[in-house]
Amino acid sequence: AAGVIQSPRHLIKEKRETATLKCYPIPRHDTVYWYQQGPGQDPQFLISFYEKMQSDKGSIPDRFSAQQFSDYHSELNMSSLELGDSALYFCASSVSGGSYEQYFGPGTRLTVT
Amino acid sequence: GEDVEQSLFLSVREGDSSVINCTYTDSSSTYLYWYKQEPGAGLQLLTYIFSNMDMKQDQRLTVLLNKKDKHLSLRIADTQTGDSAIYFCAAISPNFGNEKLTFGTGTRLTIIP
């Protein structure tokens, strides 16, 4: 079965640079979520989109922005990167309604040096 | 907001049953999930339970929910080495635009040969 696709899988950036993470949800899933998982931490919700509109916002820094496109893929843009942004970034997708099961991608490991 | 707690570590002998516990604070949590995360990997949805259920069984997995005590458990029967991972419970209180998962701290399950 098709799963959530994230790219790139690994990314190394320097402080103050920008990064763009991409997420391709499972076909026919209309909702996308972004989570950040620091080393040894549980995943923390950043932002979500339903039908291309932002639906919820968590602890996402102002330096980050995201959007969902007409083909339902989503991009997380991160600017002025800081060392503390080093983490695993997960995208998850779901179908609205039902049991709200969120299926996660493999994650993008971002390292800021 | 929701707060989800788990014990950090559990060691079990191969072939025994593992029981991972979780408590949550928000009585309006409607769906409760168990995710598995292997080292360096993404989050795999194992199972979920709706708040009007007490128990759900899925092959080797049994989920028990005590809604009065806000306590959730995951039992893995006949634990195998491949079950070594971090197990996260997560809760959701879905309202339109508020479907983010709140994760517990994760329980690292170690299998003793």
Side-chain angles (χ1 to χ4, degrees):
Chain A
V4 176
I5 297 170
Q6 290 188 247
S7 67
R9 293 293 310 278
H10 302 272
L11 191 57
I12 300 174
K13 291 285 186 178
E14 294 187 355
K15 281 194 305 184
R16 292 180 289 277
E17 285 192 318
T18 61
T20 298
L21 279 54
K22 297 186 179 183
C23 168
Y24 297 86
I26 293 171
R28 291 182 294 281
H29 281 198
D30 52 16
T31 307
V32 167
Y33 310 80
W34 287 96
Y35 293 84
Q36 178 192 57
Q37 186 180 30
Q41 304 292 314
D42 55 288
Q44 295 291 316
F45 171 74
L46 293 177
I47 195 166
S48 62
F49 293 87
Y50 165 68
E51 284 291 344
K52 292 151 279 184
M53 299 284 289
Q54 180 182 310
S55 54
D56 198 6
K57 197 171 180 179
S59 48
I60 183 169
D62 292 341
R63 300 177 288 109
F64 295 5
S65 65
Q67 57 182 324
Q68 186 180 30
F69 294 85
S70 57
D71 63 351
Y72 293 96
H73 95 271
S74 178
E75 295 184 4
L76 177 65
N77 299 293
M78 310 159 71
S79 63
S80 302
L81 287 169
E82 302 173 357
L83 295 177
D85 296 328
S86 296
L88 260 175
Y89 290 84
F90 288 109
C91 171
S93 73
S94 71
V95 177
S96 59
S99 58
Y100 302 95
E101 296 160 69
Q102 294 183 25
Y103 293 90
F104 282 71
T108 295
R109 183 174 294 281
L110 172 67
T111 303
V112 181
T113 61
Chain B
E2 175 73 275
D3 191 24
V4 182
E5 297 286 337
Q6 299 176 240
S7 52
L8 292 179
F9 302 99
L10 177 66
S11 295
V12 174
R13 291 205 175 277
E14 190 174 1
D16 287 352
S17 292
S18 305
V19 180
I20 303 170
N21 295 300
C22 169
T23 58
Y24 60 98
T25 57
D26 187 350
S27 57
S28 68
S29 289
T30 312
Y31 290 92
L32 298 134
Y33 306 85
W34 284 102
Y35 283 87
K36 176 184 180 183
Q37 186 175 33
E38 296 181 74
L43 292 149
Q44 177 191 354
L45 177 62
L46 291 176
T47 188
Y48 69 92
I49 191 166
F50 185 50
S51 58
N52 69 352
M53 301 167 65
D54 298 325
M55 185 182 86
K56 181 178 181 182
Q57 189 155 359
D58 185 0
Q59 299 183 330
R60 291 193 298 124
L61 305 179
T62 303
V63 179
L64 294 177
L65 175 61
N66 182 327
K67 197 174 177 184
K68 174 176 168 287
D69 293 339
K70 300 192 198 67
H71 181 269
L72 180 74
S73 68
L74 173 69
R75 178 177 178 267
I76 306 172
D78 187 25
T79 310
Q80 303 298 309
T81 54
D83 295 324
S84 292
I86 299 176
Y87 290 80
F88 290 96
C89 69
I92 197 169
S93 306
N95 298 297
F96 182 76
N98 180 21
E99 297 164 3
K100 61 179 178 287
L101 287 168
T102 300
F103 285 87
T105 47
T107 299
R108 182 180 296 275
L109 176 62
T110 301
I111 312 306
I112 305 164

